[in-house]
Amino acid sequence: MMNVLAVGCHPDDLEIGCGGTLAKLAAAGHRVTMAHVASGDKGHRVIAPDELRRIRGEEAQMAGRLIGAEVISLDEPDLGVKQDTDALIRKLTALIRRVRPAYIITHPPEDYMKDHMEVSRAVFDASFAATVPHYETEGGSAAQDGVVPIYYMDTLAGVGSLPTEYVDITDYMELKIQMNDCHQSQIKWLREHDGIDFLDFVRTVSKFRGLQCGKAYAEGFTQCRAWPRLTTERLLP
Amino acid sequence: MMNVLAVGCHPDDLEIGCGGTLAKLAAAGHRVTMAHVASGDKGHRVIAPDELRRIRGEEAQMAGRLIGAEVISLDEPDLGVKQDTDALIRKLTALIRRVRPAYIITHPPEDYMKDHMEVSRAVFDASFAATVPHYETEGGSAAQDGVVPIYYMDTLAGVGSLPTEYVDITDYMELKIQMNDCHQSQIKWLREHDGIDFLDFVRTVSKFRGLQCGKAYAEGFTQCRAWPRLTTERLLP
Amino acid sequence: MMNVLAVGCHPDDLEIGCGGTLAKLAAAGHRVTMAHVASGDKGHRVIAPDELRRIRGEEAQMAGRLIGAEVISLDEPDLGVKQDTDALIRKLTALIRRVRPAYIITHPPEDYMKDHMEVSRAVFDASFAATVPHYETEGGSAAQDGVVPIYYMDTLAGVGSLPTEYVDITDYMELKIQMNDCHQSQIKWLREHDGIDFLDFVRTVSKFRGLQCGKAYAEGFTQCRAWPRLTTERLLP
Amino acid sequence: MMNVLAVGCHPDDLEIGCGGTLAKLAAAGHRVTMAHVASGDKGHRVIAPDELRRIRGEEAQMAGRLIGAEVISLDEPDLGVKQDTDALIRKLTALIRRVRPAYIITHPPEDYMKDHMEVSRAVFDASFAATVPHYETEGGSAAQDGVVPIYYMDTLAGVGSLPTEYVDITDYMELKIQMNDCHQSQIKWLREHDGIDFLDFVRTVSKFRGLQCGKAYAEGFTQCRAWPRLTTERLLP
Amino acid sequence: MMNVLAVGCHPDDLEIGCGGTLAKLAAAGHRVTMAHVASGDKGHRVIAPDELRRIRGEEAQMAGRLIGAEVISLDEPDLGVKQDTDALIRKLTALIRRVRPAYIITHPPEDYMKDHMEVSRAVFDASFAATVPHYETEGGSAAQDGVVPIYYMDTLAGVGSLPTEYVDITDYMELKIQMNDCHQSQIKWLREHDGIDFLDFVRTVSKFRGLQCGKAYAEGFTQCRAWPRLTTERLLP
Amino acid sequence: MMNVLAVGCHPDDLEIGCGGTLAKLAAAGHRVTMAHVASGDKGHRVIAPDELRRIRGEEAQMAGRLIGAEVISLDEPDLGVKQDTDALIRKLTALIRRVRPAYIITHPPEDYMKDHMEVSRAVFDASFAATVPHYETEGGSAAQDGVVPIYYMDTLAGVGSLPTEYVDITDYMELKIQMNDCHQSQIKWLREHDGIDFLDFVRTVSKFRGLQCGKAYAEGFTQCRAWPRLTTERLLP
């Protein structure tokens, strides 16, 4: 059994990008940890930040419970995630050292808004720092033994994204929809702010990725190709 | 009003890749010509090539009639389209000289099977040859005055494709489905051969391209970037 | 009529990269706002920063007046533009909310010096932040309704740049030269510091982009391809 | 157990590019077929083509025997492999239909000399044709049910190649060397013609690919990304 | 002193793409051979092919004489250059074996029309074949000892081209213009057919490449990156 | 004779990436300055940072002495190199102004860990700032006259790296090994932390780059392609 750490930016990003894969991993008995870096506090036109931060934290917990995943918030403010902040890297490093993942799933380095990209780069940095004993973090966990692989989710709406890895999530599609459905504040916001039917949006992307690889529903990923994160886990194919 | 020439490989490829755009162009009063290079004669597990060639020719005519487009078959055999054949280039050149398009839509240079790619390159070559007076073709049409722009449709299932141009086809989506529905032989073949619900496949790709550009349905294109095919038709955006 | 916001780094960067397009837009009746992020205070070997800052501000105003554009300076120091600074993002966000552009023109993410790249990324970030009501800015303008498209100008000297959009500026080339000629401090500096005839340099790049697309003079752009900034404004071509 | 088909250009190309992977697959009980398209008849400065063709055929058989693989020659002349030849595509299609592979390994589309590239494209074409019942081939094998995945080996010396898949061949490195050592005619030719110590060359590339993925020795591959060849065989990593 | 072989498609392509570099090489005492593959027989709207072929052959000789270069025509018909023709590869191979170049300059693999691209690939193929003793050619020249480097000129108008090598041709710009001016038939044709001032076109591209690398005029190249054509001729820069 | 400035991140990075080239440059009489930005203080599992910082500083001096290079430490803490820090840019700018290099060698913008990437970008920024007189630095050196070329070394283990420049280091390979062997603290750490035989690792990468360009050992580089850093130093090849 593996420990898998997924790090999204906002409370619903993991559900959108890799909810089916996480559900499948959890169903296979792996231990899944879902972290979101930003509290999502500014993700609504009306609800005030403090109130929204609380609501979205609860929504994320609810979604995680559906698959038995631990849910963690790093509680950075929306539009204020900064990779180059020592405090954020240390929080992420401490998390990685505690979870000790076999690999990490996060946002790709280029995405549709800055906070997502900052998370991607912060995860890249922290997962290296996690292996350096003299880089100290709270909580007392020892340094990791090796730098772990990172898999990047699709960008939002798959713009500019050409997956090299596909995970068949056909059997977990409805569970993925339920996980996304937990994020009621966001679903309403997107409907009002951008005129987007969020659940249909999520389903369409998964269906599109599915027809690319011959399944009903799938999620696409790319691998972070940096030394020493390359793997030889499988014999082809 | 413009003349627009769309050149697909098999009798249904244009309907899949740019049916909505063609319908929209036709509805706006432009003259649309739909050509398919291969007869589609081997696109069925049971129906014999000669019989299938006839059936698919009729299906293509039916689809074209729905939008008032002229439909042309260059009648090459499936798995036998060869860009480097003088006869094919001459047929295409004669067609271009007769239609005198403002631009051409065809397959991208890389796609999921060889015949598609051969068509793409043959169109590129023929649209240049069409401007050379001493390159003679049947039918007596004069050489074109200038090399025309080419727009490439999506690959099948959008694999490896990152559109740079999007056309909103929301108002023409049902017509696009009807155009595709004309290709009954192919719809059955794909269902049987690959387990694919063809119309749902087509709808999903158009819906995915739509959500990428904020519309209900869209089609994606890239422009052939070769001198002197670049255009300045529009002032941004 | 559209509002168009162009954001350059130094006081002359917009004139170099998109002066002809801005002139053409203004002549067509659109409202053009030209902002420069850095004051250009260190852009001279002899003139002291405070003095130069004042001179270049006036030069920019003069250039803008030629096409009836509003000219704004965000007044950051040269070699000190930092995307990751909350103050800069807020200034840019406030500007966007006030101008309410249909689209934004700015530098590409990779260019020949850091301040240019910082501006590009800051514009990307601020144009998203501008749509978030709880991200507060001075001036009291309401949040934008949607994230707007961004078009990137050429890099300096077009190094590493492959435009996907061309704007024919033939009729505005002399006006573009006049706009650039307003920046006398810079013209002299470049001549002295790099041995470059600035106006000839500008003309050559526009002429080169013109011959690529079959016009006497043109400017090249690429589109920021990130959700939800993709557009379906035009029917091909 | 899978059938794996590897198609190289010359009699030693598979040993160089994927000998370790084939040895590992064979050791795991999979059925491995090694085909070379060209006879290798011109691969020597002195030995005459007819004689060399015979010698190299025997060398290939010897190498295949070391891992229990079937070895097939399509017997095209060196410098005369042409993808666009119906005869070659039919021979390859017949081979694929007989072997019925789970996937195919071959050269990448771009490599250091033309015959290699022609083989890559011919394999791509034939593996599609193999699924079309009305495309007839000798030998009477039925059409394949589905288009199979293709994995591309490294280019020669890895020039221009960035693998996305790595196979750990540490336990099979010496066997790979023995397979390559069977090609005595080629080893001598390369030493004389290019001053290259062939076995050391092979070992160095495998060692380099190994250190990229944290193993003593490895082989690198990329996947052909074309519909419907994408796979979901594995759950990450 | 080196032998340098430049292979263009039409009689004026080398003058456009690398005339300044060839003039500079010749002036430095290197032996320059200029070959054109197509006779240019269809490059005029009025002059008949046979007549034009003769005229352009003379124009090419005249241009070559200006720099003391040998000029060779392979005399293929316009719109009929085919890389996959054994006869063409043998003619090119024989030429390479006779000239024994230190390196070859030719068109890039992607350009604005097919004949150019066919030449590029044929040169790539022939320069490999030239090293294979048992690949026989007319004229009796022995096989080359090693595969030589290839440098690719700019595409026409530099569309899609990002040079990695720049050659300062400031001192040879006027000579380059004179070389191009020899091609009177083409200059008139382009002026009439495409409305292009050919000599100004050529000067503008060279001036643009010059300002990219800080010279008055330059020509841009990319290197063919395929084993074993990579070089270590220079110590940086 | 040239001044060459090489800027690595940690005390051994230059020895790994370009030790052979620096040795060759020094042997040819050029003045070589080797700077490392981070002190390397956290590069050991047991030795404490302060102690390690001292040890690694001495190791770097020892390595530099082998080729007569000046060795400079900018003394930033490991995992704390930040490009966007004014202090770091000023230190680097002052260094560049003092050394007045003909060109700079540093890390590529993408590499396996953040500090390396920060160094690459800081060098890019500082080498521009060095030419701006009103950007003041300690030490009193005047501004550079022109922005200098930058060459990027390979990434660690060459992952994701496709060199465009190769330097033959065959005659300097043993000296390169000796330079690396000075870094005893790091050699032990890598052996213990990652199970890597450091000297064999270095030798294998150099051997691989050598076989790509036909030499026993080589180092690969890419050039920073940004205006005005492009050069025309050589006539091809």
Side-chain angles (χ1 to χ4, degrees):
Chain A
M1 292 300 97
M2 295 180 296
N3 298 327
V4 176
L5 173 62
V7 184
C9 181
H10 305 103
D12 59 348
D13 286 321
L14 293 175
E15 287 82 340
I16 299 170
C18 64
T21 299
L22 297 182
K24 188 173 188 173
L25 286 163
H30 301 296
R31 188 164 75 88
V32 174
T33 303
M34 297 170 70
H36 50 273
V37 170
S39 67
D41 64 342
K42 297 190 189 68
H44 202 280
R45 298 187 77 80
V46 178
I47 305 173
D50 277 355
E51 170 74 355
L52 188 63
R53 173 178 163 282
R54 191 191 51 75
I55 293 172
R56 298 195 67 181
E58 289 168 10
E59 291 171 349
Q61 292 292 339
M62 214 185 313
R65 267 198 300 275
L66 287 177
I67 62 165
E70 181 188 19
V71 174
I72 307 275
S73 173
L74 298 195
D75 209 21
E76 299 287 320
D78 277 22
L79 301 180
V81 179
K82 290 167 194 273
Q83 167 218 17
D84 220 7
T85 310
D86 200 49
L88 175 58
I89 302 296
R90 277 187 206 275
K91 277 198 284 187
L92 269 169
T93 303
L95 175 65
I96 292 166
R97 285 175 171 172
R98 181 171 68 74
V99 171
R100 308 194 92 70
Y103 63 93
I104 300 174
I105 298 176
T106 191
H107 294 286
E110 297 293 328
D111 202 352
Y112 85 112
M113 59 91 68
K114 179 173 186 278
D115 285 351
H116 282 217
M117 301 190 283
E118 298 283 325
V119 166
S120 180
R121 289 159 196 189
V123 166
F124 179 83
D125 301 343
S127 59
F128 186 90
T131 67
V132 179
H134 289 299
Y135 186 79
E136 285 162 25
T137 49
E138 289 188 13
S141 299
Q144 288 253 104
D145 275 340
V147 184
V148 297
I150 296 174
Y151 289 90
Y152 297 128
M153 307 183 280
D154 252 331
T155 58
L156 192 64
V159 174
S161 174
L162 296 174
T164 56
E165 316 272 335
Y166 288 83
V167 173
D168 178 4
I169 62 161
T170 305
D171 295 343
Y172 300 89
M173 189 63 220
E174 296 320 310
L175 190 44
K176 176 176 181 175
I177 290 294
Q178 288 170 38
M179 291 171 75
N180 279 279
D181 202 27
C182 293
H183 296 276
Q184 277 301 315
S185 67
Q186 195 65 194
I187 287 170
K188 283 183 196 147
W189 189 87
L190 270 168
R191 193 187 300 131
E192 291 162 14
H193 186 258
D194 297 305
I196 294 168
D197 177 344
F198 185 55
L199 298 183
D200 188 56
F201 185 107
V202 166
R203 185 182 293 276
T204 298
V205 174
S206 298
K207 195 171 175 183
F208 178 76
R209 290 300 179 214
L211 62 85
Q212 290 192 317
C213 63
K215 306 294 173 187
Y217 296 101
E219 286 167 351
F221 299 88
T222 52
Q223 197 185 351
C224 168
R225 295 218 288 265
W227 188 86
R229 300 174 190 268
L230 302 169
T231 58
T232 58
E233 295 293 310
R234 60 170 173 177
L235 195 52
L236 304 174
Chain B
M1 291 300 99
M2 295 182 294
N3 299 328
V4 176
L5 174 62
V7 183
C9 182
H10 305 103
D12 58 348
D13 285 322
L14 293 174
E15 288 82 339
I16 299 170
C18 64
T21 298
L22 297 181
K24 188 173 189 173
L25 286 164
H30 301 295
R31 188 164 76 88
V32 174
T33 304
M34 297 170 69
H36 51 273
V37 170
S39 67
D41 64 342
K42 296 190 189 70
H44 202 281
R45 298 187 78 79
V46 177
I47 304 173
D50 277 356
E51 170 74 357
L52 188 62
R53 172 178 164 280
R54 190 190 52 74
I55 293 173
R56 300 194 68 180
E58 289 168 9
E59 292 171 351
Q61 291 293 340
M62 214 184 312
R65 266 198 301 275
L66 287 176
I67 63 167
E70 181 189 21
V71 174
I72 307 276
S73 173
L74 298 195
D75 209 24
E76 298 286 320
D78 277 25
L79 301 180
V81 179
K82 288 166 195 274
Q83 168 218 17
D84 218 6
T85 309
D86 199 50
L88 175 58
I89 301 297
R90 276 187 206 275
K91 278 198 283 187
L92 270 168
T93 303
L95 175 65
I96 292 166
R97 285 176 172 173
R98 182 171 69 74
V99 171
R100 307 194 93 69
Y103 63 91
I104 302 175
I105 298 176
T106 191
H107 294 286
E110 297 292 328
D111 201 350
Y112 85 112
M113 57 93 66
K114 179 172 185 280
D115 285 349
H116 282 217
M117 301 190 282
E118 298 283 324
V119 166
S120 179
R121 288 157 196 191
V123 166
F124 178 83
D125 299 344
S127 59
F128 185 91
T131 67
V132 179
H134 289 299
Y135 186 81
E136 286 162 25
T137 49
E138 289 187 13
S141 299
Q144 289 253 104
D145 275 340
V147 184
V148 297
I150 296 174
Y151 289 90
Y152 297 128
M153 307 183 280
D154 252 331
T155 57
L156 191 64
V159 174
S161 176
L162 296 174
T164 57
E165 315 274 335
Y166 287 83
V167 173
D168 178 3
I169 62 162
T170 304
D171 295 342
Y172 300 90
M173 189 63 219
E174 296 319 310
L175 190 44
K176 176 177 181 175
I177 290 293
Q178 288 168 37
M179 291 171 76
N180 278 280
D181 201 29
C182 293
H183 296 275
Q184 278 300 315
S185 68
Q186 196 65 191
I187 286 171
K188 284 182 196 147
W189 189 86
L190 270 170
R191 193 186 300 130
E192 291 161 15
H193 186 257
D194 297 307
I196 294 169
D197 177 344
F198 184 57
L199 298 182
D200 188 57
F201 185 109
V202 166
R203 186 181 292 276
T204 298
V205 174
S206 297
K207 195 170 175 184
F208 179 76
R209 290 300 179 213
L211 63 85
Q212 289 192 319
C213 63
K215 306 293 173 185
Y217 295 102
E219 286 166 350
F221 299 87
T222 53
Q223 197 185 351
C224 169
R225 296 219 288 264
W227 190 87
R229 301 174 189 269
L230 302 168
T231 59
T232 58
E233 296 293 311
R234 60 170 173 178
L235 196 52
L236 304 174
Chain C
M1 288 303 100
M2 297 181 294
N3 299 328
V4 176
L5 174 62
V7 184
C9 181
H10 304 102
D12 59 347
D13 286 322
L14 293 175
E15 288 81 341
I16 299 170
C18 65
T21 298
L22 297 181
K24 188 174 188 174
L25 285 163
H30 301 295
R31 188 162 76 88
V32 174
T33 304
M34 297 170 69
H36 51 272
V37 172
S39 67
D41 64 343
K42 297 190 189 68
H44 201 279
R45 297 186 79 80
V46 177
I47 304 172
D50 278 355
E51 169 75 355
L52 187 63
R53 174 179 162 279
R54 191 188 53 73
I55 292 172
R56 299 195 67 180
E58 289 168 11
E59 291 171 349
Q61 292 293 341
M62 213 184 313
R65 266 198 301 276
L66 288 177
I67 63 167
E70 180 188 22
V71 175
I72 307 276
S73 173
L74 298 195
D75 209 23
E76 298 286 320
D78 278 23
L79 301 180
V81 180
K82 290 166 193 273
Q83 167 217 18
D84 219 7
T85 310
D86 201 49
L88 174 58
I89 301 296
R90 275 188 207 275
K91 277 198 284 188
L92 270 169
T93 303
L95 174 65
I96 293 166
R97 285 176 171 170
R98 181 171 69 73
V99 172
R100 307 193 94 70
Y103 63 93
I104 301 174
I105 298 176
T106 192
H107 294 287
E110 297 292 329
D111 202 350
Y112 85 113
M113 58 92 65
K114 179 171 185 280
D115 284 350
H116 282 218
M117 301 190 282
E118 298 284 325
V119 166
S120 180
R121 288 158 196 188
V123 166
F124 178 84
D125 300 343
S127 59
F128 186 90
T131 68
V132 179
H134 289 299
Y135 185 81
E136 286 161 25
T137 48
E138 288 186 14
S141 300
Q144 289 253 105
D145 275 339
V147 184
V148 297
I150 296 174
Y151 289 90
Y152 297 128
M153 306 182 281
D154 251 331
T155 57
L156 191 64
V159 175
S161 176
L162 296 174
T164 57
E165 316 272 336
Y166 288 82
V167 173
D168 178 4
I169 61 162
T170 305
D171 295 342
Y172 301 89
M173 189 62 220
E174 296 318 311
L175 190 44
K176 176 176 181 174
I177 290 293
Q178 288 169 39
M179 291 171 76
N180 278 280
D181 200 28
C182 293
H183 295 276
Q184 278 300 316
S185 68
Q186 195 64 191
I187 286 171
K188 284 182 197 146
W189 190 86
L190 269 169
R191 193 186 301 131
E192 291 161 16
H193 185 256
D194 297 306
I196 293 170
D197 177 344
F198 185 55
L199 299 182
D200 187 58
F201 185 107
V202 166
R203 186 182 292 276
T204 298
V205 173
S206 298
K207 195 170 177 183
F208 179 76
R209 290 299 181 216
L211 63 86
Q212 290 193 317
C213 64
K215 305 293 174 188
Y217 296 102
E219 286 167 350
F221 299 87
T222 53
Q223 197 185 351
C224 169
R225 296 219 287 264
W227 188 86
R229 300 175 189 267
L230 302 169
T231 58
T232 59
E233 295 293 311
R234 60 170 173 178
L235 196 52
L236 305 174
Chain D
M1 289 301 99
M2 297 182 294
N3 299 327
V4 176
L5 175 61
V7 184
C9 182
H10 304 102
D12 59 346
D13 285 321
L14 293 175
E15 287 82 340
I16 299 170
C18 64
T21 298
L22 297 182
K24 188 173 188 174
L25 286 163
H30 301 295
R31 188 163 75 87
V32 174
T33 304
M34 297 169 70
H36 51 273
V37 170
S39 67
D41 64 341
K42 298 191 189 67
H44 201 280
R45 299 186 78 81
V46 177
I47 303 173
D50 277 356
E51 170 75 355
L52 188 63
R53 173 179 163 279
R54 190 188 54 72
I55 293 173
R56 299 194 67 180
E58 287 168 11
E59 291 170 351
Q61 291 295 338
M62 216 184 312
R65 264 198 301 275
L66 288 177
I67 63 167
E70 182 188 19
V71 174
I72 307 276
S73 173
L74 298 195
D75 209 23
E76 298 286 322
D78 277 23
L79 301 180
V81 179
K82 287 166 194 274
Q83 168 218 18
D84 219 7
T85 310
D86 201 49
L88 175 58
I89 301 297
R90 276 189 207 274
K91 277 197 284 186
L92 270 169
T93 304
L95 175 65
I96 292 166
R97 285 176 172 172
R98 182 171 68 73
V99 170
R100 308 194 91 71
Y103 64 91
I104 300 175
I105 298 176
T106 191
H107 295 286
E110 298 292 328
D111 202 351
Y112 85 112
M113 57 92 68
K114 179 174 186 276
D115 285 350
H116 282 217
M117 300 190 283
E118 297 284 324
V119 166
S120 180
R121 289 156 195 193
V123 166
F124 178 83
D125 301 343
S127 59
F128 186 89
T131 67
V132 179
H134 290 299
Y135 185 80
E136 285 161 25
T137 48
E138 289 188 13
S141 299
Q144 288 253 103
D145 276 339
V147 184
V148 296
I150 296 174
Y151 289 91
Y152 297 128
M153 306 183 280
D154 253 330
T155 56
L156 192 63
V159 174
S161 176
L162 296 174
T164 57
E165 315 273 335
Y166 288 82
V167 173
D168 177 3
I169 61 161
T170 304
D171 296 343
Y172 300 89
M173 189 63 219
E174 296 318 312
L175 189 45
K176 176 177 182 175
I177 290 293
Q178 289 169 38
M179 291 171 76
N180 278 280
D181 201 28
C182 293
H183 295 276
Q184 278 300 316
S185 67
Q186 196 64 192
I187 286 171
K188 283 181 197 148
W189 190 87
L190 271 169
R191 193 186 300 130
E192 291 162 15
H193 186 256
D194 298 305
I196 293 169
D197 177 344
F198 184 55
L199 298 183
D200 188 56
F201 184 109
V202 166
R203 185 182 293 275
T204 299
V205 174
S206 298
K207 195 170 175 183
F208 179 76
R209 290 300 179 214
L211 63 85
Q212 289 192 318
C213 63
K215 305 295 174 186
Y217 296 101
E219 285 168 350
F221 299 87
T222 53
Q223 197 186 349
C224 169
R225 295 218 289 262
W227 189 86
R229 300 175 190 268
L230 302 168
T231 59
T232 59
E233 295 293 312
R234 60 170 173 177
L235 197 52
L236 304 173
Chain E
M1 290 301 99
M2 295 182 295
N3 298 327
V4 176
L5 175 62
V7 184
C9 182
H10 304 102
D12 59 347
D13 286 322
L14 293 174
E15 287 82 340
I16 299 170
C18 64
T21 299
L22 296 182
K24 188 173 188 174
L25 285 164
H30 301 296
R31 187 164 75 87
V32 174
T33 304
M34 297 170 70
H36 50 273
V37 170
S39 67
D41 64 343
K42 298 192 188 67
H44 201 279
R45 298 186 78 79
V46 178
I47 303 173
D50 277 357
E51 170 74 355
L52 189 62
R53 174 178 163 279
R54 190 189 53 74
I55 292 172
R56 300 194 66 182
E58 289 168 10
E59 291 171 350
Q61 292 294 339
M62 214 183 315
R65 265 197 302 274
L66 288 176
I67 62 166
E70 181 188 20
V71 174
I72 307 275
S73 172
L74 297 195
D75 208 22
E76 299 285 321
D78 277 24
L79 301 180
V81 179
K82 289 167 193 275
Q83 167 217 17
D84 219 7
T85 309
D86 200 48
L88 176 57
I89 302 296
R90 275 188 208 276
K91 276 197 284 188
L92 270 169
T93 304
L95 175 64
I96 292 166
R97 284 175 173 174
R98 181 170 70 72
V99 172
R100 308 194 93 68
Y103 62 92
I104 300 174
I105 298 176
T106 191
H107 294 286
E110 297 292 328
D111 202 351
Y112 85 112
M113 58 93 66
K114 179 173 186 278
D115 285 350
H116 282 217
M117 301 190 282
E118 298 284 325
V119 166
S120 180
R121 289 158 197 189
V123 166
F124 179 83
D125 300 344
S127 59
F128 186 90
T131 67
V132 179
H134 290 299
Y135 186 79
E136 285 163 24
T137 48
E138 289 187 12
S141 298
Q144 288 253 104
D145 275 340
V147 184
V148 298
I150 295 174
Y151 289 90
Y152 296 128
M153 305 182 282
D154 252 331
T155 57
L156 192 64
V159 175
S161 175
L162 296 174
T164 56
E165 316 273 336
Y166 288 82
V167 173
D168 178 3
I169 60 161
T170 304
D171 295 343
Y172 301 89
M173 189 62 219
E174 296 319 311
L175 190 45
K176 177 176 181 176
I177 290 294
Q178 289 169 38
M179 290 171 76
N180 278 278
D181 201 27
C182 294
H183 296 275
Q184 277 301 316
S185 68
Q186 196 64 193
I187 286 170
K188 284 182 197 148
W189 189 86
L190 270 169
R191 192 186 301 130
E192 291 161 17
H193 186 258
D194 297 307
I196 294 168
D197 178 344
F198 186 55
L199 298 183
D200 188 57
F201 185 108
V202 166
R203 186 182 293 276
T204 299
V205 174
S206 298
K207 195 170 174 183
F208 178 76
R209 289 301 180 214
L211 64 84
Q212 290 192 317
C213 63
K215 305 294 173 186
Y217 296 101
E219 285 168 350
F221 298 87
T222 53
Q223 198 185 351
C224 169
R225 295 219 288 263
W227 188 86
R229 300 175 190 269
L230 303 168
T231 58
T232 57
E233 295 293 311
R234 60 170 173 178
L235 195 52
L236 303 173
Chain F
M1 289 302 96
M2 297 182 293
N3 299 328
V4 176
L5 174 62
V7 184
C9 182
H10 305 101
D12 57 348
D13 285 321
L14 293 174
E15 287 82 339
I16 299 170
C18 63
T21 298
L22 297 182
K24 188 173 188 174
L25 285 163
H30 301 295
R31 188 164 75 88
V32 174
T33 304
M34 298 171 69
H36 51 273
V37 171
S39 68
D41 65 341
K42 296 191 189 68
H44 201 281
R45 299 187 78 80
V46 177
I47 304 172
D50 278 355
E51 169 76 355
L52 188 62
R53 174 178 163 280
R54 190 188 54 72
I55 292 173
R56 298 195 68 182
E58 289 168 9
E59 291 171 350
Q61 292 293 340
M62 214 184 313
R65 265 198 301 276
L66 288 177
I67 62 166
E70 182 188 20
V71 175
I72 307 277
S73 174
L74 298 195
D75 209 23
E76 298 287 319
D78 277 23
L79 301 179
V81 179
K82 288 166 194 273
Q83 167 218 18
D84 220 6
T85 309
D86 201 49
L88 174 58
I89 301 296
R90 276 188 206 275
K91 277 197 284 186
L92 269 169
T93 303
L95 174 65
I96 293 166
R97 286 175 172 173
R98 181 170 68 74
V99 171
R100 309 193 92 71
Y103 64 92
I104 300 175
I105 299 175
T106 190
H107 294 287
E110 297 292 328
D111 202 352
Y112 85 112
M113 58 92 67
K114 179 174 186 278
D115 285 350
H116 283 217
M117 301 190 283
E118 298 284 325
V119 166
S120 178
R121 289 157 195 191
V123 166
F124 178 83
D125 301 344
S127 57
F128 186 90
T131 68
V132 179
H134 289 299
Y135 186 80
E136 285 162 25
T137 49
E138 289 188 13
S141 299
Q144 288 254 103
D145 275 338
V147 184
V148 296
I150 296 175
Y151 289 90
Y152 297 128
M153 305 183 281
D154 253 330
T155 57
L156 192 63
V159 174
S161 176
L162 295 174
T164 57
E165 315 273 336
Y166 287 83
V167 173
D168 178 3
I169 61 161
T170 304
D171 295 344
Y172 301 88
M173 189 63 220
E174 296 319 311
L175 189 46
K176 176 176 181 175
I177 290 294
Q178 288 169 37
M179 290 171 77
N180 278 279
D181 201 28
C182 293
H183 295 275
Q184 278 300 316
S185 68
Q186 195 66 191
I187 286 170
K188 283 183 197 147
W189 190 87
L190 271 169
R191 193 186 299 131
E192 289 162 16
H193 187 257
D194 297 306
I196 293 169
D197 177 345
F198 185 56
L199 298 182
D200 188 56
F201 185 108
V202 167
R203 186 181 292 277
T204 298
V205 174
S206 298
K207 195 170 174 183
F208 179 75
R209 290 300 180 214
L211 62 85
Q212 290 192 318
C213 63
K215 305 294 173 189
Y217 295 100
E219 285 168 351
F221 299 87
T222 53
Q223 197 185 351
C224 170
R225 295 219 289 263
W227 187 86
R229 301 174 189 268
L230 302 168
T231 58
T232 57
E233 295 293 313
R234 60 170 171 177
L235 196 53
L236 305 174

